[in-house]
Structure formats: C-alpha cells, structure tokens
C-alpha cells in the first residue's frame, strides 16, 4: 500500500505545514526525472534541462508579477530567507517578532518590531526603530503569519522604508497562492517563496530580488543562478515548482471555497462552545487559517487526540517535529498563557470538502466534551 492509499481516510487540515503535491507538479517532475542533463552542460541534453529551468522561471515570475531575471532558485523558503538576510550588506536589520524561525535564527541580534495583541505589526514601533537604526537598514516582515494567518501591512512598511531609504525583505512563503502578489508593483526589494506550500515539492523555493540589488551569495561555487546561488540546480524540483505555480494561478475560485469552509468551521465551533476562541478573529487573515483555542486541553494533547481521530492538525508552526515549546508568535502577541498553551492551528486547502469539515467539527466537539 502506498503512502496516499494508507492515508486516504485522514482529514488533512495542515496545509500551512505543507500541501499535497498537485498532479501538474508531479507530472512535470516525472517528465524530467529520467533526464541526465546538467543545465550547465552545452550538449543538447544539457540545453533541454536548461529550458526546463527557464520555463519554470517564466511560470513563477508570471504568477507573482516579476521578471524572469528577478527569480533566484534556492532549496526552499528557509534558504531564501537566509540569503536575503545574510546576503544584504545592510548595517542594521529590523525584523518582526512573529517571523518564522528561518528569519529569527538567521539574524539573532536583529532588533525586533513589536506586534499588537491581534498579531499585526506595530508601525509606530517600526518608525521608532528606523530612526535609531544605523543605515543602511533592512526591514524583514512576513506577508502573512503561518500560525495565525494574520496579514501584515506590507504597503505601509514599504512606504515607511522609502522614507528612511531602507530595504524591505518579505517572507511570502504563506502568502503565495493565497493572496495576490505583484512583486514589481509592491515596492518590496526581496521576497521569499517556497514550492511545497502551493502543491509543489519540498526542497525548492526562490528569492525574488529587484534587478539592481547587490546581494552577496551565501552558497558559492559553480556560479549558477547568475552567481547568486551556486550548485547544480534541482531540476525536477524546479520543474514541479513552475507547474504548481501555473496550476495555482488557474484556480482562482479555490480560495473562495476554502474561506467558506474555514468560516463554516469557525462559526460552528463558536456557536456551540462560547468559551472557544479564534485568535485574531477580527483581523485580516489568510482565508485558510484558523488558530483555535480549546479551553481545558493543551495544544500537544489536542494534536494527539485529533491524530487518533484521523485528523492532521498542528500545534502552531510545524517546522521541526517533537519540539514542545510555547509559540513565539502567540507569546509576542502578549496573550495569556492559557491561550498560548491551548491553541492549535488548522489550515485548510484545495482538497478539503464539507465532509472533511464536518468530521473535524465532530472531532473537535468530542475532544472538548471528553476533557471538560
Ligand atoms: N517562512 C514561513 C512563513 C514558513 O511558514 C516556512 C515553512 O513553514 C518557511 C519560511 C520555510 O520554508 P521551507 O519549508 O521551504 O524551508
């Protein structure tokens, strides 16, 4: 029995951790897997491999309103974040306190911009930090948070940045495919994206950078990606990324269906259990994400109970298994301990149905009743 057959009965609502691979991505990958061509080789097989990469570069740049030359392929969102932060020659870096660990760990000494109790960047605090920071300054703010789904005021950030001549990096790993992105019109200097959140494979992503931006590579060697990221390209991964981006761009109605499922879930839970809470309920959030507080049961216990019920959810970020610690995102929002400890993340996606949501609601209510 293969992986998919074994897991057929599981309701998968953990799309922010990773999404199922799209058939288009799988097809594009299978197509090139047998090709021994190295994209740097001049013979015809090498040239064919190069064409695969350039096609994917076009598909991705079209999807996000960038030029092909803006796209640097990396091994994922993590590497894209690290390249942006370590490759820039800024003298000071300001990051939001709710960034992904890839950003937090890349620049541990960076000053942190506060967020409100509902997880939105504090622009006044950013202004204060910008006044104090040695120039040139780089600001790094995620487009949408992976745990709460809260969408950040990116336009206001780029406006402020231009007042202070600062550069802006945006981690758009969770925003890609869920929000419209137009890189060239955004005022953003660098943007991180990752394939596996949109139905491409894991292990491939990209940093999108402004044409004239000076960026020091962090991986040096053969000079691939115009010297900005060396290493023989992940041909199948890149092909899958391109195909997933194109498939995603053609599925405009998918997000509408997903918001409807998410809202139906939230409304039902709140109606039946008034003590339950949806974190940042009133804020602009990604339409697929719900950070939901269940009174009386820790997130870890909930995740295990849901797992036994055949439902895959997450206790906050899911980047390394077995880590039991309080979410730095909910902590930065200054929420009471009970909310921090008892909140799980549910993230819906294009394969979910109303039947899945009904099973999820049923399990949620049963788990709640058993423990209260
Ligand atoms: N940034 C955000 C906001 C994420 O949610 C993730 C993954 O969960 C990453 C970066 C890392 O991306 P990748 O898994 O492709 O390294």
């Amino acid at each position: 029995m293969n992986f998919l057959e074994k897991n057929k009965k599981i309701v998968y609502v953990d799309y922010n951790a990773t999404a199922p691979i799209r058939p288009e991505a799988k097809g594009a990958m299978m197509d090139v897997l047998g090709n021994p061509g190295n994209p740097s080789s001049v013979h015809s097989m090498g040239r064919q491999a190069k064409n695969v990469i350039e096609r994917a570069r076009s598909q991705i740049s079209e999807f996000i309103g960038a030029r092909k030359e803006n796209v640097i392929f990396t091994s994922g969102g993590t590497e894209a974040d690290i390249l942006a932060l370590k490759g820039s020659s800024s003298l000071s870096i300001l990051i939001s306190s709710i960034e992904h660990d890839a950003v937090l760990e890349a620049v541990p000494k960076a000053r942190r911009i506060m967020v409100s109790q509902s997880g939105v960047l504090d622009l006044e605090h950013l202004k204060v930090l910008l006044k104090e920071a040695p120039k040139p300054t780089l600001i790094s703010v995620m487009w949408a948070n992976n745990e709460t789904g809260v969408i950040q005021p990116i336009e206001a950030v780029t406006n402020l940045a231009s007042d202070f001549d600062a550069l802006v990096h945006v981690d758009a790993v969770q925003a890609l495919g869920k929000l419209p992105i137009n890189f060239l019109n955004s005022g953003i200097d660098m943007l991180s994206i990752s394939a596996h959140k949109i139905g491409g494979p894991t292990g491939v992503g990209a940093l999108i950078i402004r044409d004239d931006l000076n960026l020091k590579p962090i991986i040096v060697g053969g000079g691939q990606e115009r010297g900005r990221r060396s290493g023989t390209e992940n041909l199948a991964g890149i092909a899958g990324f391109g195909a997933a981006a194109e498939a995603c761009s053609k599925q405009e109605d998918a997000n509408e269906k997903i918001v409807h499922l998410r809202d139906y879930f939230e409304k039902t839970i709140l109606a039946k259990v008034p003590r339950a809470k949806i974190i940042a309920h009133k804020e602009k959030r990604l339409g697929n994400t719900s950070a939901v507080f269940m009174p009386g049961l820790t997130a870890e216990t909930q995740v295990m109970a849901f797992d036994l019920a055949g439902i895959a959810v997450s206790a906050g970020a899911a980047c390394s298994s077995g880590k039991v610690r309080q979410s730095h995102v909910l902590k930065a929002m200054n929420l009471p301990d009970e909310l921090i400890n008892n909140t799980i993340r549910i993230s819906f996606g294009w394969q979910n149905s109303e039947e899945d949501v009904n099973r999820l609601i049923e399990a949620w209510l049963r788990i709640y009743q058993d423990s209260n």
Side-chain angles (χ1 to χ4, degrees):
M1 209 190 287
N2 71 25
F3 191 78
L4 269 179
E5 282 163 359
K6 210 162 65 190
N7 295 305
K8 230 193 220 155
K9 290 212 168 71
I10 292 182
V11 172
Y12 186 81
V13 279
D14 199 14
Y15 276 67
N16 288 9
T18 195
I21 196 138
R22 290 178 189 268
E24 294 87 344
K26 197 170 164 187
M29 293 173 78
M30 297 301 279
D31 210 30
V32 297
L33 272 175
N35 184 350
N38 181 325
S40 299
S41 298
V42 289
H43 51 65
S44 83
M45 292 189 84
R47 292 197 308 274
Q48 284 172 46
K50 180 90 185 145
N51 286 342
V52 167
I53 288 180
E54 293 317 312
R55 170 143 198 265
R57 207 186 297 282
S58 297
Q59 288 166 315
I60 289 160
S61 50
E62 262 169 46
F63 187 39
I64 55 164
R67 276 192 283 274
K68 280 182 71 178
E69 302 72 42
N70 303 125
V71 180
I72 306 171
F73 285 115
T74 64
S75 65
T78 299
E79 189 192 320
D81 283 344
I82 294 172
L83 177 57
L85 294 160
K86 293 206 185 264
S88 99
S89 46
S90 300
L91 274 184
S92 58
I93 301 182
L94 308 176
I95 64 175
S96 90
S97 50
I98 54 164
E99 291 304 303
H100 188 269
D101 277 339
V103 170
L104 298 177
E105 301 278 332
V107 282
K109 295 205 177 105
R111 292 197 71 184
R112 298 202 182 174
I113 315 155
M114 294 188 306
V115 296
S116 70
Q117 270 220 323
S118 52
V120 183
L121 192 80
D122 181 338
L123 290 165
E124 285 307 312
H125 189 223
L126 171 58
K127 212 186 280 178
V128 171
L129 293 181
L130 275 168
K131 280 183 190 149
E132 293 170 3
K135 290 184 174 50
T137 309
L138 169 67
I139 306 168
S140 182
V141 173
M142 64 197 340
W143 202 313
N145 184 263
N146 43 310
E147 294 185 36
T148 61
V150 172
I151 298 169
Q152 301 302 322
I154 296 302
E155 201 180 326
V157 172
T158 55
N159 288 341
L160 255 183
S162 70
D163 294 345
F164 287 85
D165 272 337
L167 290 178
V168 177
H169 164 247
V170 172
D171 176 333
V173 168
Q174 292 294 344
L176 186 70
K178 299 173 190 144
L179 297 175
I181 295 180
N182 189 306
F183 177 72
L184 292 175
N185 290 344
S186 67
I188 296 168
D189 300 287
M190 297 182 275
L191 184 96
S192 300
I193 54 176
S194 174
H196 71 107
K197 310 287 184 180
I198 62 161
T202 47
V204 58
L207 182 67
I208 316 300
I209 73 162
R210 231 183 51 211
D211 292 342
D212 53 346
L213 200 79
N214 215 349
L215 193 74
K216 196 164 64 63
I218 52 168
I219 298 181
V220 292
Q224 288 88 347
E225 295 298 284
R226 301 199 294 155
R228 283 146 164 178
R229 201 285 187 182
S230 288
T232 303
E233 297 87 340
N234 173 1
L235 189 62
I238 291 172
F241 190 6
E246 190 178 302
C248 212
S249 69
K250 290 183 178 153
Q251 273 205 339
E252 277 163 7
D253 56 340
N255 286 333
E256 245 169 72
K257 181 190 131 200
I258 295 166
V259 184
H260 175 75
L261 293 177
R262 195 273 313 262
D263 288 352
Y264 165 53
F265 163 72
E266 292 187 347
K267 252 187 219 149
T268 315
I269 294 298
L270 292 178
K272 298 208 180 226
V273 180
R275 284 180 63 220
K277 277 195 173 58
I278 308 297
I279 307 297
H281 198 192
K282 300 252 150 62
E283 291 303 330
K284 280 192 198 140
R285 288 177 296 149
L286 294 176
N288 79 318
T289 307
S290 190
V292 53
F293 160 74
M294 181 191 285
L297 210 60
T298 66
E300 282 71 35
T301 315
Q302 287 183 56
V303 170
M304 284 187 277
F306 278 109
D307 191 37
L308 286 175
I311 296 175
V313 298
S314 244
C319 282
S320 61
S321 58
K323 246 197 230 171
V324 181
R325 52 157 204 199
Q326 282 194 322
S327 150
H328 71 273
V329 174
L330 303 183
K331 266 171 95 170
M333 290 163 65
N334 250 322
L335 297 179
D337 270 349
E338 197 197 3
L339 279 192
I340 298 177
N341 294 335
N342 297 8
T343 294
I344 61 163
R345 174 187 71 189
I346 295 174
S347 46
F348 301 90
W350 61 88
Q351 282 185 359
N352 290 134
S353 61
E354 203 161 312
E355 192 192 328
D356 290 347
V357 182
N358 283 329
R359 271 186 62 196
L360 169 68
I361 291 170
E362 202 182 295
W364 199 99
L365 294 173
R366 189 165 23 81
I367 293 165
Y368 170 70
Q369 272 145 17
D370 287 352
S371 65
N372 278 273

PDB file of all heavy atoms in Angstrom, residues 8 22 28 31 54 66 70 76 87 114 140 146 156 160 184 213 228 231 236 249 266-267 277-278 296 343 360 372:
ATOM      1  N   LYS A   8      -5.670   7.628   3.071  1.00  0.00           N
ATOM      2  CA  LYS A   8      -6.873   8.095   2.387  1.00  0.00           C
ATOM      3  C   LYS A   8      -7.946   8.607   3.344  1.00  0.00           C
ATOM      4  O   LYS A   8      -8.650   9.557   3.070  1.00  0.00           O
ATOM      5  CB  LYS A   8      -7.444   6.917   1.597  1.00  0.00           C
ATOM      6  CG  LYS A   8      -7.745   7.267   0.143  1.00  0.00           C
ATOM      7  CD  LYS A   8      -8.582   6.169  -0.411  1.00  0.00           C
ATOM      8  CE  LYS A   8      -8.219   5.818  -1.806  1.00  0.00           C
ATOM      9  NZ  LYS A   8      -8.556   4.466  -2.170  1.00  0.00           N
ATOM     10  N   ARG A  22       0.438  18.767  -6.298  1.00  0.00           N
ATOM     11  CA  ARG A  22      -0.563  18.864  -7.370  1.00  0.00           C
ATOM     12  C   ARG A  22      -0.173  17.905  -8.495  1.00  0.00           C
ATOM     13  O   ARG A  22       1.028  17.746  -8.788  1.00  0.00           O
ATOM     14  CB  ARG A  22      -0.591  20.292  -7.940  1.00  0.00           C
ATOM     15  CG  ARG A  22      -1.167  21.311  -6.986  1.00  0.00           C
ATOM     16  CD  ARG A  22      -1.108  22.697  -7.615  1.00  0.00           C
ATOM     17  NE  ARG A  22      -1.464  23.710  -6.652  1.00  0.00           N
ATOM     18  CZ  ARG A  22      -2.711  24.169  -6.470  1.00  0.00           C
ATOM     19  NH1 ARG A  22      -3.697  23.708  -7.194  1.00  0.00           N
ATOM     20  NH2 ARG A  22      -2.951  25.079  -5.563  1.00  0.00           N
ATOM     21  N   ALA A  28       5.151  17.128 -14.143  1.00  0.00           N
ATOM     22  CA  ALA A  28       6.320  17.864 -14.654  1.00  0.00           C
ATOM     23  C   ALA A  28       7.611  17.263 -14.091  1.00  0.00           C
ATOM     24  O   ALA A  28       8.631  17.179 -14.785  1.00  0.00           O
ATOM     25  CB  ALA A  28       6.208  19.340 -14.268  1.00  0.00           C
ATOM     26  N   ASP A  31       8.423  13.873 -15.686  1.00  0.00           N
ATOM     27  CA  ASP A  31       8.862  14.096 -17.044  1.00  0.00           C
ATOM     28  C   ASP A  31      10.370  14.323 -17.149  1.00  0.00           C
ATOM     29  O   ASP A  31      11.000  13.919 -18.117  1.00  0.00           O
ATOM     30  CB  ASP A  31       8.114  15.349 -17.554  1.00  0.00           C
ATOM     31  CG  ASP A  31       7.889  15.289 -19.024  1.00  0.00           C
ATOM     32  OD1 ASP A  31       7.756  14.168 -19.529  1.00  0.00           O
ATOM     33  OD2 ASP A  31       7.872  16.369 -19.653  1.00  0.00           O
ATOM     34  N   GLU A  54      14.249  27.371 -17.304  1.00  0.00           N
ATOM     35  CA  GLU A  54      13.791  28.703 -17.754  1.00  0.00           C
ATOM     36  C   GLU A  54      12.276  28.748 -17.891  1.00  0.00           C
ATOM     37  O   GLU A  54      11.654  29.781 -17.676  1.00  0.00           O
ATOM     38  CB  GLU A  54      14.503  29.101 -19.052  1.00  0.00           C
ATOM     39  CG  GLU A  54      16.002  29.338 -18.860  1.00  0.00           C
ATOM     40  CD  GLU A  54      16.343  30.131 -17.590  1.00  0.00           C
ATOM     41  OE1 GLU A  54      15.726  31.175 -17.343  1.00  0.00           O
ATOM     42  OE2 GLU A  54      17.215  29.675 -16.814  1.00  0.00           O
ATOM     43  N   ALA A  66       6.611  39.275 -11.549  1.00  0.00           N
ATOM     44  CA  ALA A  66       8.034  39.650 -11.529  1.00  0.00           C
ATOM     45  C   ALA A  66       8.617  39.411 -12.918  1.00  0.00           C
ATOM     46  O   ALA A  66       7.923  38.882 -13.800  1.00  0.00           O
ATOM     47  CB  ALA A  66       8.769  38.810 -10.490  1.00  0.00           C
ATOM     48  N   ASN A  70      14.401  38.313 -11.995  1.00  0.00           N
ATOM     49  CA  ASN A  70      14.281  38.551 -10.554  1.00  0.00           C
ATOM     50  C   ASN A  70      14.351  37.253  -9.734  1.00  0.00           C
ATOM     51  O   ASN A  70      14.511  37.312  -8.513  1.00  0.00           O
ATOM     52  CB  ASN A  70      12.944  39.234 -10.215  1.00  0.00           C
ATOM     53  CG  ASN A  70      12.723  40.536 -10.929  1.00  0.00           C
ATOM     54  OD1 ASN A  70      11.717  40.728 -11.605  1.00  0.00           O
ATOM     55  ND2 ASN A  70      13.655  41.445 -10.823  1.00  0.00           N
ATOM     56  N   GLY A  76      14.583  26.211  -0.870  1.00  0.00           N
ATOM     57  CA  GLY A  76      13.318  26.355  -0.133  1.00  0.00           C
ATOM     58  C   GLY A  76      13.174  27.745   0.460  1.00  0.00           C
ATOM     59  O   GLY A  76      14.014  28.635   0.219  1.00  0.00           O
ATOM     60  N   GLY A  87      22.805  37.943   2.858  1.00  0.00           N
ATOM     61  CA  GLY A  87      23.432  38.419   1.621  1.00  0.00           C
ATOM     62  C   GLY A  87      23.371  39.930   1.466  1.00  0.00           C
ATOM     63  O   GLY A  87      24.084  40.509   0.662  1.00  0.00           O
ATOM     64  N   MET A 114       7.634  45.157  17.422  1.00  0.00           N
ATOM     65  CA  MET A 114       6.538  44.565  18.191  1.00  0.00           C
ATOM     66  C   MET A 114       5.295  44.367  17.331  1.00  0.00           C
ATOM     67  O   MET A 114       5.145  44.995  16.275  1.00  0.00           O
ATOM     68  CB  MET A 114       6.179  45.471  19.366  1.00  0.00           C
ATOM     69  CG  MET A 114       7.310  45.565  20.370  1.00  0.00           C
ATOM     70  SD  MET A 114       6.872  46.435  21.877  1.00  0.00           S
ATOM     71  CE  MET A 114       6.255  47.974  21.339  1.00  0.00           C
ATOM     72  N   SER A 140      12.697  43.203   7.678  1.00  0.00           N
ATOM     73  CA  SER A 140      12.164  41.915   7.220  1.00  0.00           C
ATOM     74  C   SER A 140      10.837  41.633   7.935  1.00  0.00           C
ATOM     75  O   SER A 140      10.804  41.476   9.160  1.00  0.00           O
ATOM     76  CB  SER A 140      13.170  40.796   7.496  1.00  0.00           C
ATOM     77  OG  SER A 140      12.683  39.583   7.009  1.00  0.00           O
ATOM     78  N   ASN A 146       2.299  32.315   9.559  1.00  0.00           N
ATOM     79  CA  ASN A 146       1.997  30.896   9.362  1.00  0.00           C
ATOM     80  C   ASN A 146       1.124  30.305  10.452  1.00  0.00           C
ATOM     81  O   ASN A 146       0.415  29.332  10.231  1.00  0.00           O
ATOM     82  CB  ASN A 146       3.299  30.084   9.243  1.00  0.00           C
ATOM     83  CG  ASN A 146       4.354  30.488  10.246  1.00  0.00           C
ATOM     84  OD1 ASN A 146       4.672  31.666  10.402  1.00  0.00           O
ATOM     85  ND2 ASN A 146       4.889  29.518  10.952  1.00  0.00           N
ATOM     86  N   ALA A 156       2.244  49.682   3.912  1.00  0.00           N
ATOM     87  CA  ALA A 156       2.672  50.708   4.872  1.00  0.00           C
ATOM     88  C   ALA A 156       4.156  50.521   5.209  1.00  0.00           C
ATOM     89  O   ALA A 156       4.890  51.503   5.390  1.00  0.00           O
ATOM     90  CB  ALA A 156       1.816  50.630   6.133  1.00  0.00           C
ATOM     91  N   LEU A 160       7.023  53.366   4.600  1.00  0.00           N
ATOM     92  CA  LEU A 160       7.911  53.834   5.675  1.00  0.00           C
ATOM     93  C   LEU A 160       9.370  53.611   5.294  1.00  0.00           C
ATOM     94  O   LEU A 160      10.227  54.480   5.512  1.00  0.00           O
ATOM     95  CB  LEU A 160       7.625  53.025   6.947  1.00  0.00           C
ATOM     96  CG  LEU A 160       6.861  53.690   8.070  1.00  0.00           C
ATOM     97  CD1 LEU A 160       6.749  52.746   9.251  1.00  0.00           C
ATOM     98  CD2 LEU A 160       7.556  54.979   8.493  1.00  0.00           C
ATOM     99  N   LEU A 184       6.641  43.458  -8.814  1.00  0.00           N
ATOM    100  CA  LEU A 184       7.179  44.695  -9.405  1.00  0.00           C
ATOM    101  C   LEU A 184       6.429  45.938  -8.929  1.00  0.00           C
ATOM    102  O   LEU A 184       6.994  47.021  -8.877  1.00  0.00           O
ATOM    103  CB  LEU A 184       7.168  44.603 -10.934  1.00  0.00           C
ATOM    104  CG  LEU A 184       8.151  43.578 -11.508  1.00  0.00           C
ATOM    105  CD1 LEU A 184       7.992  43.453 -13.014  1.00  0.00           C
ATOM    106  CD2 LEU A 184       9.601  43.921 -11.153  1.00  0.00           C
ATOM    107  N   LEU A 213      19.717  45.063  -7.278  1.00  0.00           N
ATOM    108  CA  LEU A 213      20.096  44.906  -5.870  1.00  0.00           C
ATOM    109  C   LEU A 213      21.403  44.135  -5.743  1.00  0.00           C
ATOM    110  O   LEU A 213      21.603  43.101  -6.383  1.00  0.00           O
ATOM    111  CB  LEU A 213      18.986  44.149  -5.136  1.00  0.00           C
ATOM    112  CG  LEU A 213      18.997  44.334  -3.650  1.00  0.00           C
ATOM    113  CD1 LEU A 213      18.365  45.672  -3.280  1.00  0.00           C
ATOM    114  CD2 LEU A 213      18.199  43.220  -2.986  1.00  0.00           C
ATOM    115  N   ARG A 228      24.422  34.007  -8.051  1.00  0.00           N
ATOM    116  CA  ARG A 228      23.827  34.349  -6.755  1.00  0.00           C
ATOM    117  C   ARG A 228      23.546  33.126  -5.899  1.00  0.00           C
ATOM    118  O   ARG A 228      23.337  33.238  -4.703  1.00  0.00           O
ATOM    119  CB  ARG A 228      22.511  35.108  -6.962  1.00  0.00           C
ATOM    120  CG  ARG A 228      22.747  36.532  -7.345  1.00  0.00           C
ATOM    121  CD  ARG A 228      21.693  36.953  -8.265  1.00  0.00           C
ATOM    122  NE  ARG A 228      21.617  38.391  -8.393  1.00  0.00           N
ATOM    123  CZ  ARG A 228      20.767  38.986  -9.194  1.00  0.00           C
ATOM    124  NH1 ARG A 228      19.940  38.266  -9.918  1.00  0.00           N
ATOM    125  NH2 ARG A 228      20.739  40.284  -9.288  1.00  0.00           N
ATOM    126  N   GLY A 231      25.522  25.745  -7.272  1.00  0.00           N
ATOM    127  CA  GLY A 231      25.084  24.360  -7.047  1.00  0.00           C
ATOM    128  C   GLY A 231      24.235  23.912  -8.223  1.00  0.00           C
ATOM    129  O   GLY A 231      23.397  24.682  -8.701  1.00  0.00           O
ATOM    130  N   ALA A 236      14.169  18.545 -11.205  1.00  0.00           N
ATOM    131  CA  ALA A 236      12.791  18.066 -11.033  1.00  0.00           C
ATOM    132  C   ALA A 236      12.025  18.969 -10.072  1.00  0.00           C
ATOM    133  O   ALA A 236      10.857  19.309 -10.294  1.00  0.00           O
ATOM    134  CB  ALA A 236      12.795  16.629 -10.520  1.00  0.00           C
ATOM    135  N   SER A 249      -2.297  29.438 -10.372  1.00  0.00           N
ATOM    136  CA  SER A 249      -2.804  30.684 -10.968  1.00  0.00           C
ATOM    137  C   SER A 249      -4.115  30.455 -11.725  1.00  0.00           C
ATOM    138  O   SER A 249      -4.877  31.374 -11.944  1.00  0.00           O
ATOM    139  CB  SER A 249      -1.759  31.298 -11.902  1.00  0.00           C
ATOM    140  OG  SER A 249      -1.612  30.482 -13.039  1.00  0.00           O
ATOM    141  N   GLU A 266     -15.311  27.791  11.879  1.00  0.00           N
ATOM    142  CA  GLU A 266     -15.187  28.730  12.997  1.00  0.00           C
ATOM    143  C   GLU A 266     -16.553  29.083  13.582  1.00  0.00           C
ATOM    144  O   GLU A 266     -16.735  29.096  14.800  1.00  0.00           O
ATOM    145  CB  GLU A 266     -14.446  30.003  12.545  1.00  0.00           C
ATOM    146  CG  GLU A 266     -12.984  29.737  12.230  1.00  0.00           C
ATOM    147  CD  GLU A 266     -12.173  30.996  11.931  1.00  0.00           C
ATOM    148  OE1 GLU A 266     -12.777  32.072  11.730  1.00  0.00           O
ATOM    149  OE2 GLU A 266     -10.932  30.888  11.910  1.00  0.00           O
ATOM    150  N   LYS A 267     -17.504  29.363  12.696  1.00  0.00           N
ATOM    151  CA  LYS A 267     -18.842  29.746  13.156  1.00  0.00           C
ATOM    152  C   LYS A 267     -19.476  28.633  13.988  1.00  0.00           C
ATOM    153  O   LYS A 267     -20.062  28.874  15.046  1.00  0.00           O
ATOM    154  CB  LYS A 267     -19.737  30.007  11.939  1.00  0.00           C
ATOM    155  CG  LYS A 267     -20.029  31.470  11.760  1.00  0.00           C
ATOM    156  CD  LYS A 267     -21.053  31.669  10.663  1.00  0.00           C
ATOM    157  CE  LYS A 267     -20.651  32.899   9.875  1.00  0.00           C
ATOM    158  NZ  LYS A 267     -21.013  32.886   8.502  1.00  0.00           N
ATOM    159  N   LYS A 277     -12.119  30.200  21.286  1.00  0.00           N
ATOM    160  CA  LYS A 277     -11.720  31.499  20.706  1.00  0.00           C
ATOM    161  C   LYS A 277     -10.945  31.267  19.413  1.00  0.00           C
ATOM    162  O   LYS A 277     -10.192  30.293  19.303  1.00  0.00           O
ATOM    163  CB  LYS A 277     -10.798  32.244  21.676  1.00  0.00           C
ATOM    164  CG  LYS A 277     -11.522  32.998  22.747  1.00  0.00           C
ATOM    165  CD  LYS A 277     -10.568  33.987  23.421  1.00  0.00           C
ATOM    166  CE  LYS A 277     -11.295  34.880  24.393  1.00  0.00           C
ATOM    167  NZ  LYS A 277     -12.009  34.189  25.456  1.00  0.00           N
ATOM    168  N   ILE A 278     -11.136  32.183  18.498  1.00  0.00           N
ATOM    169  CA  ILE A 278     -10.311  32.176  17.293  1.00  0.00           C
ATOM    170  C   ILE A 278      -9.331  33.332  17.443  1.00  0.00           C
ATOM    171  O   ILE A 278      -9.743  34.483  17.630  1.00  0.00           O
ATOM    172  CB  ILE A 278     -11.169  32.387  16.013  1.00  0.00           C
ATOM    173  CG1 ILE A 278     -12.346  31.401  15.960  1.00  0.00           C
ATOM    174  CG2 ILE A 278     -10.292  32.319  14.768  1.00  0.00           C
ATOM    175  CD1 ILE A 278     -11.986  29.947  15.881  1.00  0.00           C
ATOM    176  N   GLY A 296      -9.216  24.125  28.343  1.00  0.00           N
ATOM    177  CA  GLY A 296      -9.023  22.896  29.118  1.00  0.00           C
ATOM    178  C   GLY A 296      -8.079  21.855  28.562  1.00  0.00           C
ATOM    179  O   GLY A 296      -7.828  20.850  29.218  1.00  0.00           O
ATOM    180  N   THR A 343      -3.912  26.482  22.117  1.00  0.00           N
ATOM    181  CA  THR A 343      -4.341  26.864  20.761  1.00  0.00           C
ATOM    182  C   THR A 343      -3.668  25.982  19.721  1.00  0.00           C
ATOM    183  O   THR A 343      -2.445  25.777  19.768  1.00  0.00           O
ATOM    184  CB  THR A 343      -3.990  28.348  20.511  1.00  0.00           C
ATOM    185  OG1 THR A 343      -4.788  29.145  21.399  1.00  0.00           O
ATOM    186  CG2 THR A 343      -4.278  28.767  19.080  1.00  0.00           C
ATOM    187  N   LEU A 360     -14.129  17.185  11.122  1.00  0.00           N
ATOM    188  CA  LEU A 360     -13.277  17.990  12.006  1.00  0.00           C
ATOM    189  C   LEU A 360     -14.093  18.586  13.153  1.00  0.00           C
ATOM    190  O   LEU A 360     -13.689  18.521  14.328  1.00  0.00           O
ATOM    191  CB  LEU A 360     -12.619  19.099  11.175  1.00  0.00           C
ATOM    192  CG  LEU A 360     -11.905  20.212  11.938  1.00  0.00           C
ATOM    193  CD1 LEU A 360     -10.658  19.677  12.640  1.00  0.00           C
ATOM    194  CD2 LEU A 360     -11.495  21.349  10.989  1.00  0.00           C
ATOM    195  N   ASN A 372     -13.699  18.240  29.346  1.00  0.00           N
ATOM    196  CA  ASN A 372     -14.246  19.355  30.139  1.00  0.00           C
ATOM    197  C   ASN A 372     -15.440  18.865  30.988  1.00  0.00           C
ATOM    198  O   ASN A 372     -16.078  17.907  30.702  1.00  0.00           O
ATOM    199  CB  ASN A 372     -14.685  20.495  29.230  1.00  0.00           C
ATOM    200  CG  ASN A 372     -13.492  21.364  28.841  1.00  0.00           C
ATOM    201  OD1 ASN A 372     -13.125  22.292  29.532  1.00  0.00           O
ATOM    202  ND2 ASN A 372     -12.849  21.013  27.730  1.00  0.00           N
TER     203      ASN A 372
END
